[in-house]
């Protein structure tokens, strides 16, 4: 392999030179026709990590045409599930073989801790394996009760060419929540990563080739949302768009796709609450709250950025979370002990700080943090773990996605009030409840407006379990059997069998 050398854990260090990335179209690595490139500077270490071809409409069109041709000629869409599964399983093995290299690039581009990147790369391999199992076990329906001379089948067919557009917060993980499932279904794909974190997506092309994926089946175009993502959304030869990112861009995509009635699957923002009852294991709950809000510096659609605590325990519980948050290892992403790394861009850091400053001006109380953080040797693009009280549900910091390590604390008296506060959001991605009473947990789970409800845990996910949002958190589901089903069209085949006539319609005989 050219760029993707296997490196060992001992060799993990700031790379000495940027990785060079090109588009992968119809089985070939190509530069942009106009020679444009973009560079990604590490948010923690400052140097240029990657130099990527910056695509335009020409590259997006070429990739879509290659995917269409590959879909139509059946080189992937009409082979057996067994053959598709064999390729996906090889990709999983190759991902594991290259974990260190992929994790290092992920960390250098996103600012996330190296131990977390390793976990995400390994978890991504598991998605490829699970998708391989689905490739072999999908089936439709048969109807044998329609009468002696009729039989019908409901077939599932790959939907066609799918555009996959991914964000910067979990580049390889989110890619692996989409690509293997689309491929397992027999679709062909065009992929666009965020221009801030293109490396691991670009490098998977080498693994796909090594695993034997036919040319044209997966095409990768690097570049910005405009014009690459927008071309992938509007092009007439695209049948479906699977997008993860902001609700604002999700709405735009939905609007554009509506013009040609393309199918759209959207995984968008969240303002995810955890509700804590007095009878919960408060130690465990406090730890889950610290994890829920600080993991990935809060740059997480699933960030638990709101907690709703019973008023009898609110003060004591908040103090526990403050104490635990002080102990979270914020710092240099390349230190294997670091739990929380850098903020993705300076602009984003300013945005996070803006929410905190505004809340304070409106009377909120900052119990911890509330400002940028400087980390020895790796600069100032960090943010302190921040916990804020004396809030009302209507404030912007409680309603909007801060996408930083900033926790809003609200209180409640009754289950009904807790549910009302939890559901007081335009979002409906995930929610959590902490109580030792299973009836309380179930009552909350049933009434919470959220695609996922965790009871006495937070952010446990499995390839088998569907993920996605209600309300403005999205449309459709990702991963699991439900996520896999998104990539199919359903076709009913109704067959007349036997020698009998259907009876003439004309003349009524
Ligand atoms: P965006 O929604 O802007 O970007 C996500 C992806 O969509 C990127 O690949 C982006 O490309 C692409 N894109 C942007 N505009 C278009 C378009 N018009 N048509 C098609 N594709 C497009 O998210 P950001 O990365 O800018 O983050 C902004 C905010 O979104 C965050 O602060 C957070 O609140 C939220 N967000 C939510 C995520 C989630 O997991 N639910 C993930 C990331 C962000 P490019 O950026 O390269 O131009």
């Amino acid at each position: 392999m050219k760029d993707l050398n296997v490196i060992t854990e001992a060799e993990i260090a700031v790379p000495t030179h940027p990785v060079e990335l090109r588009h992968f179209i119809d089985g070939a690595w190509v530069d942009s026709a106009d020679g444009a490139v973009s560079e990604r500077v590490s948010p923690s270490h400052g140097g240029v990590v990657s130099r990527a071809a910056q695509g335009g409409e020409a590259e997006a069109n070429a990739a879509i045409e290659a995917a269409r041709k590959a879909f139509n000629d059946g080189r992937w869409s009409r082979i057996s599930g067994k053959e598709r599964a064999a390729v996906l399983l090889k990709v999983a093995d190759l991902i594991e073989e290259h974990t260190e290299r992929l994790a290092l690039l992920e960390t250098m581009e996103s600012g996330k801790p190296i131990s977390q990147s390793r976990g995400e790369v390994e978890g991504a391999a598991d998605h490829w394996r699970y998708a391989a199992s689905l490739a072999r076990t999908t089936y439709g329906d048969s109807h044998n009760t329609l009468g002696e001379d009729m039989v019908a089948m409901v077939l599932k067919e790959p939907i066609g060419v799918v555009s996959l557009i991914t964000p910067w917060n979990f580049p390889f993980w989110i890619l692996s929540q989409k690509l293997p499932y689309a491929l397992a279904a027999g679709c062909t794909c065009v992929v666009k990563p965020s221009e801030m974190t293109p490396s691991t997506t670009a490098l998977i092309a080498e693994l796909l080739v090594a695993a034997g994926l036919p040319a044209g089946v997966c095409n990768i175009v690097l570049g910005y949302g405009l014009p690459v993502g927008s071309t992938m959304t509007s092009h007439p030869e695209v049948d479906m768009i699977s997008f993860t990112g902001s609700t604002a861009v999700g709405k735009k995509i939905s609007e554009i796709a509506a013009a040609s009635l393309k199918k759209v699957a959207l995984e968008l923002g969240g303002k995810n609450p955890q509700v804590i009852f007095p009878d919960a294991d408060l130690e465990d709950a406090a730890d889950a709250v610290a994890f829920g809000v600080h993991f990935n510096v809060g740059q997480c659609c699933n960030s638990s950025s709101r907690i709703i605590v019973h008023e009898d325990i609110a003060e004591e519980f908040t103090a526990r979370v403050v104490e635990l948050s002080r102990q979270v290892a914020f710092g240099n992403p390349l230190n294997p002990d670091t739990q929380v790394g850098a903020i993705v861009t300076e602009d984003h850091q300013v945005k996070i700080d803006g929410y905190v400053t505004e809340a304070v001006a409106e009377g909120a109380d900052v119990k911890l943090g509330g400002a940028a953080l400087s980390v020895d040797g790796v600069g100032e693009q960090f943010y302190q773990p921040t916990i804020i009280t004396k809030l009302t549900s209507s404030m912007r910091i409680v309603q909007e996605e801060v996408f930083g390590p900033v926790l809003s604390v609200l209180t409640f008296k009754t289950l009904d009030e807790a549910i009302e506060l939890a559901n007081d959001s335009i979002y409906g991605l995930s929610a959590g409840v902490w109580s030792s009473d299973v009836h309380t947990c179930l009552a909350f789970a049933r009434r919470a407006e959220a695609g996922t409800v965790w009871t006495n845990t937070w952010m446990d996910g499995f390839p088998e379990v569907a993920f996605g949002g209600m309300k403005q958190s999205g449309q459709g589901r990702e991963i699991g059997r439900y996520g896999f089903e998104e990539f199919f069209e359903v076709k009913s085949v109704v067959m007349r069998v036997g020698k009998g006539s259907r009876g003439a319609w004309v003349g009524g005989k």
Side-chain angles (χ1 to χ4, degrees):
M1 276 185 215
K2 194 169 34 62
D3 278 321
L4 197 63
N5 305 312
V6 179
I7 60 170
T8 64
E9 185 170 349
E11 290 168 316
I12 283 277
V14 178
T16 51
H17 57 276
V19 62
E20 305 282 340
L21 309 170
R22 290 187 288 168
H23 313 292
F24 181 65
I25 300 174
D26 209 8
W29 283 271
V30 292
D31 290 313
S32 291
D34 62 4
V37 289
S38 65
E39 291 183 336
R40 173 63 176 160
V41 173
S42 165
S44 50
H45 291 78
V48 176
V49 186
S50 56
R51 190 169 293 125
Q54 188 184 306
E57 262 180 67
E59 288 72 33
N61 286 336
I64 293 163
E65 280 157 29
R68 169 54 58 197
K69 188 159 163 270
F71 184 80
N72 287 359
D73 72 16
R75 71 187 82 165
W76 183 254
S77 54
R78 295 205 291 272
I79 65 173
S80 69
K82 180 179 172 181
E83 288 167 289
R84 286 205 283 263
V87 173
L88 300 183
L89 289 171
K90 271 189 211 154
V91 176
D93 291 345
L94 288 164
I95 289 172
E96 280 174 347
E97 205 178 305
H98 295 281
T99 298
E100 290 302 325
R101 176 72 167 149
L102 291 164
L104 178 61
L105 285 166
E106 200 81 320
T107 284
M108 295 308 296
E109 282 186 343
S110 70
K112 68 177 69 197
I114 188 71
S115 45
Q116 186 189 322
S117 294
R118 286 178 184 139
E120 285 171 20
V121 172
E122 282 159 8
D126 197 30
H127 277 294
W128 286 81
R129 288 211 174 92
Y130 176 64
S133 74
L134 292 172
R136 295 193 69 170
T137 53
T138 189
Y139 51 84
D141 297 329
S142 64
H143 295 267
N144 197 28
T145 55
L146 307 175
E148 186 65 9
D149 50 358
M150 299 301 289
V151 69
M153 295 178 285
V154 180
L155 304 179
K156 287 182 191 158
E157 295 183 346
I159 195 164
V161 175
V162 186
S163 288
L164 308 177
I165 303 175
T166 59
W168 46 262
N169 55 346
F170 294 93
F172 198 68
W173 177 263
I174 291 175
L175 173 74
S176 299
Q177 294 204 132
K178 299 179 188 294
L179 182 57
Y181 295 88
L183 294 177
C187 295
T188 60
C189 300
V190 179
V191 184
K192 189 200 92 64
S194 162
E195 96 291 344
M196 285 190 269
T197 52
S199 287
T200 52
T201 301
L203 293 179
I204 204 169
E206 300 189 14
L207 307 188
L208 297 176
V209 171
L213 190 78
V217 173
C218 176
N219 306 273
I220 298 163
V221 185
L222 310 174
Y224 286 85
L226 295 173
V228 177
S230 53
T231 305
M232 288 165 63
T233 305
S234 59
H235 198 291
E237 292 296 347
V238 170
D239 300 296
M240 173 179 169
I241 302 141
S242 172
F243 169 82
T244 299
S246 63
T247 295
V249 173
K251 285 179 184 172
K252 270 189 217 157
I253 285 177
S254 197
E255 237 175 84
I256 296 168
S260 55
L261 286 181
K262 293 184 202 317
K263 183 168 182 180
V264 176
L266 303 171
E267 206 278 274
L268 310 174
K271 191 73 192 177
N272 314 295
Q274 295 199 62
V275 174
I276 296 102
F277 284 85
D279 64 348
D281 177 338
L282 296 180
E283 208 177 301
D284 202 7
D287 184 78
V289 167
F291 165 62
V293 70
H294 302 313
F295 176 71
N296 213 48
V297 218
Q299 299 172 148
C300 193
C301 56
N302 256 334
S303 171
S304 164
S305 48
R306 288 191 290 157
I307 57 168
I308 302 165
V309 193
H310 193 280
E311 63 177 21
D312 290 352
I313 55 161
E315 207 175 315
E316 180 211 331
F317 186 78
T318 307
R320 273 186 202 234
V321 178
V322 166
E323 200 36 50
L324 283 179
S325 298
R326 283 187 209 283
Q327 296 167 39
V328 178
F330 278 60
N332 180 351
L334 281 185
N335 179 342
D337 295 329
T338 295
Q339 290 175 294
V340 179
I343 301 289
V344 72
T345 60
E346 214 180 310
D347 284 353
H348 190 55
Q349 191 182 26
V350 170
K351 185 179 151 193
I352 295 168
D353 201 48
Y355 278 106
V356 176
T357 311
E358 183 182 295
V360 170
E362 289 173 357
D365 198 2
V366 177
K367 293 283 181 197
L368 180 71
L373 174 72
S374 175
V375 174
D376 279 353
V378 279
E380 296 176 356
Q381 215 166 286
F382 294 80
Y383 204 82
Q384 296 175 2
T386 297
I387 296 172
I388 305 194
T389 59
K390 287 205 187 136
L391 298 163
T392 57
S393 190
S394 60
M395 289 164 84
R396 241 166 42 95
I397 200 167
V398 182
Q399 286 295 325
E400 295 183 15
E401 245 191 335
V402 175
F403 240 54
V406 179
L407 179 69
S408 295
V409 181
L410 300 171
T411 59
F412 75 94
K413 288 195 189 86
T414 63
L415 173 70
D416 282 346
E417 196 189 347
I419 291 169
E420 197 178 312
L421 282 168
N423 290 342
D424 180 21
S425 171
I426 60 163
Y427 296 112
L429 189 59
S430 55
V433 58
W434 291 83
S435 167
S436 56
D437 183 341
V438 70
H439 303 291
T440 305
C441 291
L442 195 53
F444 178 84
R446 283 178 156 165
R447 289 169 61 190
E449 294 165 356
T452 298
V453 178
W454 283 291
T455 78
N456 296 318
T457 188
W458 187 257
M459 232 177 336
D460 280 318
F462 304 90
E464 289 86 344
V465 182
F467 180 68
M470 294 182 180
K471 302 200 277 188
Q472 294 194 32
S473 286
Q475 248 170 39
R477 290 295 177 266
E478 216 157 62
I479 71 174
R481 187 164 281 282
Y482 286 96
F484 179 54
E485 300 282 337
E486 299 280 345
F487 296 107
F488 287 105
E489 268 298 0
V490 167
K491 181 185 280 177
S492 297
V493 179
V494 179
M495 301 173 74
R496 182 170 191 82
V497 294
K499 294 199 174 124
S501 141
R502 53 178 276 281
W505 178 67
V506 179
K509 288 182 198 159

